[in-house]
Amino acid sequence: MRWIGLGLAALLLLAGTGIGAGAVEVDRKLEAILAGDPVYKAQRLTLTDIPSPTGPAVSLLNGKDLSDWDIWLGYADPSITYTNKTEKPYGARPGGDPMFTMVTLEGEPTMRVDGATWGSIVHRGTFGNYHLRLEFKWSGKRHVPRLDLPENNGLLYHSFGPAGGVYGTWMPAVEFEIMRGSTGMVVPVGTMVKPVTDAARDRSLIDPQRRYMAGGRAVTVEAPAWNVEAAIDAERPVGQWNVLDLYVLDDRAIHVVNGVPVMELRNLSVLGPDGKRTPLTSGHIQFQSEGAETFFRRISLEPIDRLPRIVVK
């Protein structure tokens, strides 16, 4: 989930606030937040000390249908997702929906996400302390309003709360971004979700110009600096399978793309209405439908009792 190619002023215009004082004020706030960031320097990161599983692996796809998952769809017009004030989402789809289907692809059971209507599919299990591995690929098919933007989807973990609780479309969660050029980026889904990572300022990026850098500045990922880009684009070309590994232990996580570690998080938490933070250590596995046809297969999860290490070469 990312508004790629849009600066903050453009986002505010889409939200109906115009490119006036509001946009200027947000830009000033963002600049003040970024002022303490170090300058990004490229790193070669490797993953070591891979943990052995402490129990048997579990497949999240049963090979025949999506009966272990719940589907929720957002709005008939996805372009209003971030600005809607009056329309109601489609909501729960207990009988299934064409946006999420099981197909056989290359001889294997595969979950197909259509992308035309935005929404989510959430596994009913609650998981913590695990290594999740999956394979995904893009078909190249995109839908409005993202026809001219990179393919977009997302692996949302530690999902909790009501279905459609964020923009009437997704369940609150931490997002392992799956978007061409940005796979592995972290995005908090819901303003109450507060991940912490190490970041540096990379002026080659669109706002908020933050990229993961081991040993960088410790930052809480929250608006107006609402994401931190992956350390490197390790994704393969459209049409090829990519392997994603997600390691989570308590309130920490590591994102890995095709064997390359691209993000490390800690102090995952939820900010309550009383201002207190509660560690976010487990939750549901959720996938998005967000504008691009996506295929997922070999989604497996195994328990672990420690994280691997990221080493800077």
Side-chain angles (χ1 to χ4, degrees), residues 244-262:
L244 303 187
D245 290 283
L246 168 64
Y247 295 89
V248 294
L249 187 75
D250 298 328
D251 62 350
R252 295 176 290 156
I254 293 176
H255 300 181
V256 184
V257 180
N258 293 319
V260 180
V262 297

Side-chain angles (χ1 to χ4, degrees), residues 61 66 71 97-105 109-116 121 137 139 141 143 153 288-289 292-297:
L61 295 178
L66 295 173
I71 295 173
D97 193 274
M99 291 302 103
F100 300 94
T101 55
M102 283 297 295
V103 300
T104 299
L105 188 65
T110 302
M111 182 171 70
R112 173 185 174 272
V113 180
D114 184 275
I121 185 167
K137 74 173 180 176
S139 71
K141 182 179 180 180
H143 304 278
N153 204 299
Q288 293 179 312
S289 173
E293 185 178 48
T294 321
F295 294 99
F296 294 94
R297 71 181 185 184

Side-chain angles (χ1 to χ4, degrees), residues 169-186:
T169 306
W170 301 290
M171 185 180 287
V174 182
E175 181 171 5
F176 184 136
E177 179 70 83
I178 302 175
M179 184 174 71
R180 187 161 54 86
S182 294
T183 297
M185 178 172 70
V186 62

Side-chain angles (χ1 to χ4, degrees), residues 9-28:
L11 287 173
L12 288 168
L13 178 61
L14 285 176
T17 58
I19 313 179
V24 172
E25 180 61 25
V26 171
D27 285 338
R28 286 175 178 169

Side-chain angles (χ1 to χ4, degrees), residues 225-274:
W226 45 270
N227 71 37
V228 174
E229 180 62 87
I232 190 174
D233 177 11
E235 188 181 330
R236 294 168 184 152
V238 172
Q240 295 185 20
W241 289 102
N242 296 270
V243 178
L244 303 187
D245 290 283
L246 168 64
Y247 295 89
V248 294
L249 187 75
D250 298 328
D251 62 350
R252 295 176 290 156
I254 293 176
H255 300 181
V256 184
V257 180
N258 293 319
V260 180
V262 297
M263 179 66 59
E264 186 168 19
L265 302 165
R266 60 187 180 277
N267 299 337
L268 303 177
S269 63
V270 177
L271 183 66
D274 58 359

Side-chain angles (χ1 to χ4, degrees), residues 35 38 40 61 68 78 88 112 120 123 128 135-136 146 148 169 238 248 253 261 300:
Y40 172 73
L61 295 178
D68 299 325
K88 292 184 178 180
R112 173 185 174 272
S120 57
H123 195 276
E135 295 183 12
F136 88 92
R146 296 188 58 88
D148 299 323
T169 306
V238 172
V248 294
S300 66

Side-chain angles (χ1 to χ4, degrees), residues 127-138:
F127 305 104
N129 296 348
Y130 59 80
H131 165 211
L132 185 149
R133 169 169 283 194
L134 63 82
E135 295 183 12
F136 88 92
K137 74 173 180 176
W138 310 109

